[in-house]
Amino acid sequence: MNAAIALDSGWEIAAGASDELAWAPVRELGTVGASLGVGLDTPHGRYDTQDWWYRCRFPAPASHGADRQHLRFDGLAGIAEVWLNDEPILTARNMFTTERVDVTGRLRPDNELRLCFRSLDAELATRKPRPRWKTALVEAQNLRWVRTTLLGRIPGWTPPVHPVGVWKPVWLETVSPGGIASIDLQCDAEAGVGRVRLRATLTAGSDVAEARLRIGDRTHALALDGDTLSADLQLPAVALWWPHTHGAPALHDCAIELRQGTQWTAIDRGRIGFRQVEVRRDDGLVQFRVNGTPVFCRGACWTTDDFLRLHGDPQQLRRTLTLARDGGLNMLRIGGTMTYESDAFYALCDELGILVWQDFMFANMDYPVADEAFRAEIEREADQQLHRLQAHPCIAAYCGGSEVEQQAAMLGLPAEQWSNDFFSETLPARCASRHAGVPYFRSSPCEGALPFHVGTGISHYYGVGAYRRPISDVKHAGVKFTTECLGFSHVPEPETIELLAGQPTIAPHHPLWKQRQPRDNGAGWDFEDIRDHYLRELTGLDPVALRSTDIARYLALSRAVTGEVLKRVFAEWRAPGSVCGGGLVWFLKDLWPGAGWGLIDSTGRPKAVYWALKRAWAARTVLITDGGLDGLQLQVHNEGGEPLAGSVEIALYQDGQVRTAGGSLDVILAANQGLALQADALIGHFADTAYAYRFGPPQHDVAVARLKNEAGDTLAEDFHFPHGLNLPPQRAGTLTAQAQRQADGSVLVTLEAAALIQSLHVECAGYAADDLHFHLAPQSRRTLRFRPLDAAPRKFKAHLGALNLRELVTVRAD
């Protein structure tokens, strides 16, 4: 059997030529930045400019005569050379592959392992054949020859810290006879029946007499033919895996059990799941079905949970992914500019019921796939990643990479040069063989007359956003599925701004604030300009004049604006009858503190846009869309395995408090059913709900839709502001609050609103609220729960504010 020792202590690091090294202990074994313990704003993060060295000493493990020893490197970022006791044992050029070296007979009682990561700048300066096109995404076009992440090397939107060095663990393995040398384990479902296909090879010298596969509490005999194990199983009663929005993500413990003589040994294979993934593709559609049920996919593009390390620790990953799940997200895309994620990441997505769209790590460039050595390297990379991911039910799609076809097409190249046989033939064949049943796409985006057209296949939709189209553009753009969309500079909470500026507000022209505004390389604008465009559209205010006189209100309105825009877009895309199968927002989490693209900031704190999307993405919800001359439309959603009986209400208010019209309707929705209603039908008379006819002054400034269950409990609310977000302030005393400490240390705050409270926000040190940036309807009551962030809760004091309140409301509890 196999045993592994992590070589994770005693490491030293040095830079420069081999004859003038000044060694220093690492803060931790990781990339150069992590090993040195630098901050993301370091001015010395261009680690590609020189050689970097690592070394450590380790003893040889105890072993028996038939044992073999291997050094395993799970991830070496850069062009690496490795020596064991001054003997060269490895040269590696791919950060995305695991390297294993047989060192049997080469170990001493005390050993030195030394690694050198050669200057990538020197490598990029060597002459190579010219690409058919150049991309503005990165400065060095020869990066297309090097298998490394583009993070840190994209000047427009990543911290300028080059990821070089040991970015994944180093292991000393002992391999004994009687283990498994290789395994191909694939699980899926068809028509509700779980299926398992297993092929495994035993290590040399094994004397296995019997083998079985344990799934849950049941075992299944494996065929044993020499050193090969195999099985093709059908499990008709097995619980299926679902995305969390539609069911329970059932997982089953799995192990291979081997008998040698009378001794049984179990080899753990983790937890597996069974699901069927299909994609409806007629008429250019991209609509996912899981276990035969249509799934509207909503979520975001994953970056990394820790920029310096390039992967988060398991606890940090769990916090981030749980926050994503709780926000209603059911799909994450790992894009081609990033990295393949850790095993812990995929295991957590399995557990939490989050689908994963997995790009291979290619983006924008003309990769030299005809070069024999490069082709062999990327095929080996694909095989390793597919082998690693094949047992994870969360994997919903594979994709050749990001914007390769788009980049070629936008630069005017003919269609035959947009792709190549690696993306169109080799990769899909490997995916079909090593992870059967998972859909494959050549590139993101692709299809259509031009690959970046949004009306066919998968798209990157920035019509609303970078291209400054009106929000109504989503009604007629015909987006089928957008794997990247709606990039906005989302303003973080005051606590995060304080980390950046030392105070809860910051002037938008501050150099550090502007430095961290995401932008396309070479563009004359940044994404704060985009946000300001929609601030003007939704409030009627001049953003330049506003931030010149009232920075705090400018930031508060900016938070509300991007949440409102994204909520409106997803309300249209989710509507019953929509042709859109899903949308993935560009960035779940920021890379560093600032107003980045992320729904969550780099510290893990949700932004206002997160809370807006949590309501828009809820499995059971009601959303308002603007039907123009047909008035407001109410889109009711009931995802999951249970029917819903209840009612839908609509109410119109003038001055945020006087009800001018309203109505309700009892509804019954089957499991996974949506329903579209007209507000006018509920009201029963003409009220110009969308203020489209304009026969005189408006009779309401807010519309409130509410979904209730049979018991009368409110399940969801949505608000529509026909005249924009800049409403006049309410009088003092409109909002009252009372706090009560609970036995578990949390605090319940009961809110009562005499009139509309718009976009409520909270400042509360040491506590986190279970909802924020929501509206309160006139004459309504709501309870918030605040949970302590520390084990020993501090005194509770919260300041409550809103866009239409002049003063804060303070509430305390012992």
Side-chain angles (χ1 to χ4, degrees):
M1 301 303 169
N2 298 353
I5 300 170
L7 302 182
D8 55 5
S9 62
W11 285 89
E12 296 179 300
I13 191 171
S18 59
D19 57 352
E20 51 185 36
L21 298 177
W23 293 97
V26 301
R27 296 284 186 93
E28 61 179 273
L29 180 60
T31 63
V32 171
S35 297
L36 298 176
V38 303
L40 292 178
D41 55 355
T42 175
H44 309 296
R46 294 187 58 84
Y47 300 128
D48 289 343
T49 60
Q50 58 184 330
D51 295 350
W52 287 92
W53 298 76
Y54 292 73
R55 71 178 181 185
C56 79
R57 303 197 72 85
F58 65 93
S63 63
H64 302 286
D67 291 347
R68 304 197 67 81
Q69 284 78 40
H70 296 162
L71 280 169
R72 191 181 88 214
F73 305 89
D74 284 350
L76 302 176
I79 300 172
E81 299 174 21
V82 183
W83 295 263
L84 174 64
N85 300 323
D86 294 325
E87 177 189 357
I89 61 170
L90 175 67
T91 298
R93 298 177 58 89
N94 191 333
M95 76 174 287
F96 305 126
T97 55
T98 294
E99 308 296 343
R100 182 178 278 105
V101 181
D102 190 336
V103 294
T104 307
R106 301 193 228 183
L107 294 178
R108 304 170 183 172
D110 182 61
N111 302 273
E112 182 189 66
L113 183 62
R114 184 178 296 208
L115 298 85
C116 179
F117 294 86
R118 298 299 183 186
S119 165
L120 188 57
D121 281 0
E123 171 71 15
L124 298 178
T126 61
R127 293 181 63 85
K128 299 283 188 182
R130 297 183 64 180
R132 291 172 297 174
W133 70 82
K134 294 183 178 181
T135 176
L137 184 69
V138 295
E139 295 170 345
Q141 301 301 310
N142 272 351
L143 274 170
R144 68 195 187 102
W145 288 87
V146 182
R147 297 306 296 143
T148 190
T149 180
L150 301 186
L151 288 172
R153 301 181 175 99
I154 301 174
W157 48 265
T158 68
V161 181
H162 296 161
V164 177
V166 184
W167 77 290
K168 286 188 174 183
V170 179
W171 304 89
L172 177 59
E173 296 180 324
T174 298
V175 181
S176 304
I180 292 179
S182 65
I183 185 169
D184 181 352
L185 176 62
Q186 301 186 42
C187 309
D188 65 1
E190 185 175 44
V193 176
R195 303 189 302 183
V196 178
R197 178 188 182 277
L198 182 144
R199 303 291 184 271
T201 303
L202 299 171
T203 56
S206 297
D207 56 352
V208 173
E210 186 181 359
R212 62 197 183 196
L213 180 67
R214 181 175 294 277
I215 300 174
D217 57 0
R218 296 190 176 185
T219 59
H220 309 269
L222 299 179
L224 177 59
D225 183 7
D227 63 354
T228 301
L229 305 176
S230 63
D232 290 281
L233 306 174
Q234 292 198 343
L235 309 175
V238 73
L240 299 182
W241 185 96
W242 291 86
H244 74 91
T245 48
H246 289 69
L251 295 172
H252 310 269
D253 294 330
C254 179
I256 297 174
E257 299 177 344
L258 305 177
R259 181 173 66 82
Q260 295 172 285
T262 61
Q263 182 72 34
W264 282 93
T265 302
I267 301 173
D268 182 35
R269 296 303 301 174
R271 295 194 293 174
I272 60 174
F274 302 91
R275 86 286 176 267
Q276 182 177 16
V277 178
E278 304 167 285
V279 182
R280 180 183 171 189
R281 296 308 323 275
D282 54 294
D283 298 324
L285 295 172
V286 182
Q287 295 183 348
F288 280 79
R289 299 175 67 90
V290 178
N291 303 326
T293 298
V295 173
F296 179 83
C297 300
R298 64 275 199 172
C301 296
W302 181 261
T303 50
T304 175
D305 217 27
D306 187 312
F307 188 85
L308 283 181
R309 297 173 180 84
L310 292 184
H311 55 82
D313 66 70
Q315 289 185 339
Q316 182 174 317
L317 271 174
R318 178 174 290 278
R319 287 193 296 271
T320 302
L321 291 173
T322 300
L323 196 61
R325 189 272 315 271
D326 292 348
L329 174 154
N330 65 11
M331 179 178 274
L332 285 169
R333 172 185 169 222
I334 301 178
T337 53
M338 310 300 175
T339 67
Y340 303 102
E341 259 298 338
S342 64
D343 293 340
F345 171 89
Y346 298 104
L348 282 167
C349 288
D350 290 343
E351 175 188 332
L352 297 172
I354 298 174
L355 298 164
V356 175
W357 175 295
Q358 178 68 62
D359 280 13
F360 291 90
M361 294 301 114
F362 301 92
N364 293 75
M365 293 183 282
D366 179 23
Y367 290 92
V369 299
D371 180 85
E372 185 175 342
F374 184 85
R375 181 65 167 256
E377 190 65 58
I378 58 177
E379 290 183 1
R380 184 170 71 100
E381 171 190 323
D383 289 347
Q384 283 194 11
Q385 296 300 330
L386 288 166
H387 176 265
R388 190 167 69 95
L389 299 178
Q390 63 180 193
H392 289 287
C394 65
I395 302 296
Y398 287 112
C399 181
S402 175
E403 295 190 346
V404 173
E405 292 191 20
Q406 171 177 301
Q407 185 75 87
M410 279 193 163
L411 292 173
L413 274 71
E416 61 270 17
Q417 295 187 35
W418 296 348
S419 189
N420 55 59
D421 69 306
F422 177 73
F423 296 120
S424 61
E425 299 173 16
T426 301
L427 262 184
R430 278 175 147 77
C431 291
S433 171
R434 290 159 178 81
H435 200 171
V438 177
Y440 173 85
F441 297 85
R442 294 190 314 270
S443 182
S444 177
C446 65
E447 304 178 17
L450 293 171
F452 46 84
H453 284 182
V454 301
T456 301
I458 56 175
S459 64
H460 289 183
Y461 177 76
Y462 291 100
V464 175
Y467 303 135
R468 309 187 196 203
R469 303 286 296 168
I471 298 175
S472 60
D473 183 73
V474 298
K475 287 182 175 291
H476 57 78
V479 172
K480 301 303 190 295
F481 195 104
T482 174
T483 49
E484 186 178 311
C485 64
L486 301 172
F488 279 86
S489 165
H490 299 297
V491 176
E493 295 293 333
E495 296 91 335
T496 303
I497 293 178
E498 194 160 0
L499 292 177
L500 190 67
Q503 57 187 20
T505 60
I506 185 172
H509 60 271
H510 190 288
L512 187 56
W513 181 259
K514 293 305 287 184
Q515 176 196 359
R516 297 193 179 182
Q517 289 297 329
R519 59 180 54 83
D520 288 337
N521 195 25
W525 50 269
D526 61 30
F527 280 82
E528 184 159 59
D529 297 324
I530 301 304
R531 187 186 68 234
D532 283 352
H533 170 82
Y534 289 94
L535 188 151
R536 182 182 290 106
E537 292 290 309
L538 295 184
T539 68
L541 299 172
D542 178 2
V544 175
L546 177 61
R547 68 192 188 209
S548 299
T549 57
D550 193 340
I551 292 175
R553 182 157 180 82
Y554 167 77
L555 294 175
L557 277 171
S558 293
R559 293 185 184 100
V561 161
T562 59
E564 180 72 9
V565 170
L566 269 66
K567 184 211 74 171
R568 289 194 194 181
V569 170
F570 273 96
E572 296 287 354
W573 283 343
R574 284 192 74 184
S578 167
V579 297
C580 183
L584 306 179
V585 176
W586 183 230
F587 275 30
L588 174 68
K589 186 176 181 180
D590 284 346
L591 297 173
W592 54 353
W597 284 312
L599 309 179
I600 302 168
D601 71 31
S602 62
T603 73
R605 182 179 287 112
K607 302 182 189 178
V609 64
Y610 167 91
W611 301 106
L613 286 175
K614 180 177 181 178
R615 291 182 276 275
W617 288 348
R620 283 180 165 175
T621 194
V622 59
L623 299 170
I624 301 174
T625 58
D626 188 338
L629 296 178
D630 286 344
L632 296 182
Q633 312 293 301
L634 310 181
Q635 318 293 346
V636 189
H637 300 277
N638 179 44
E639 293 177 337
E642 300 296 328
L644 171 64
S647 62
V648 177
E649 299 176 356
I650 182 72
L652 310 182
Y653 294 92
Q654 189 177 62
D655 300 326
Q657 52 187 317
V658 179
R659 179 178 167 122
T660 60
S664 66
L665 179 71
D666 292 338
V667 295
I668 298 177
L669 281 79
N672 296 306
Q673 183 187 359
L675 177 66
L677 302 172
Q678 289 190 334
D680 288 343
L682 273 67
I683 294 172
H685 60 81
F686 177 62
D688 200 5
T689 55
Y691 194 52
Y693 291 88
R694 301 175 185 264
F695 297 153
Q699 298 302 302
H700 67 280
D701 49 23
V702 62
V704 183
R706 187 176 286 120
L707 174 64
K708 292 184 174 181
N709 61 17
E710 280 186 301
D713 302 320
T714 297
L715 302 178
E717 289 181 321
D718 195 19
F719 294 72
H720 180 78
F721 302 95
H723 320 299
L725 302 181
N726 189 34
L727 301 183
Q730 295 291 343
R731 67 182 185 278
T734 298
L735 176 68
T736 60
Q738 291 184 331
Q740 185 174 16
R741 175 79 67 179
Q742 304 299 297
D744 62 359
S746 66
V747 176
L748 292 183
V749 175
T750 301
L751 307 172
E752 293 195 38
L756 172 73
I757 299 299
Q758 185 188 14
S759 194
L760 184 134
H761 57 84
V762 176
E763 297 175 21
C764 185
Y767 290 81
D770 60 2
D771 198 2
L772 284 174
H773 297 281
F774 56 86
H775 312 304
L776 281 167
Q779 295 85 49
S780 68
R781 180 174 181 171
R782 180 166 179 182
T783 300
L784 278 181
R785 183 179 294 273
F786 289 78
R787 298 190 183 277
L789 299 177
D790 304 318
R794 64 177 75 178
K795 287 187 176 181
F796 178 84
K797 181 179 179 181
H799 302 290
L800 314 176
L803 287 181
N804 63 339
L805 291 181
R806 294 188 187 277
E807 298 178 352
L808 297 176
V809 175
T810 300
V811 60
R812 295 176 173 85
D814 293 334

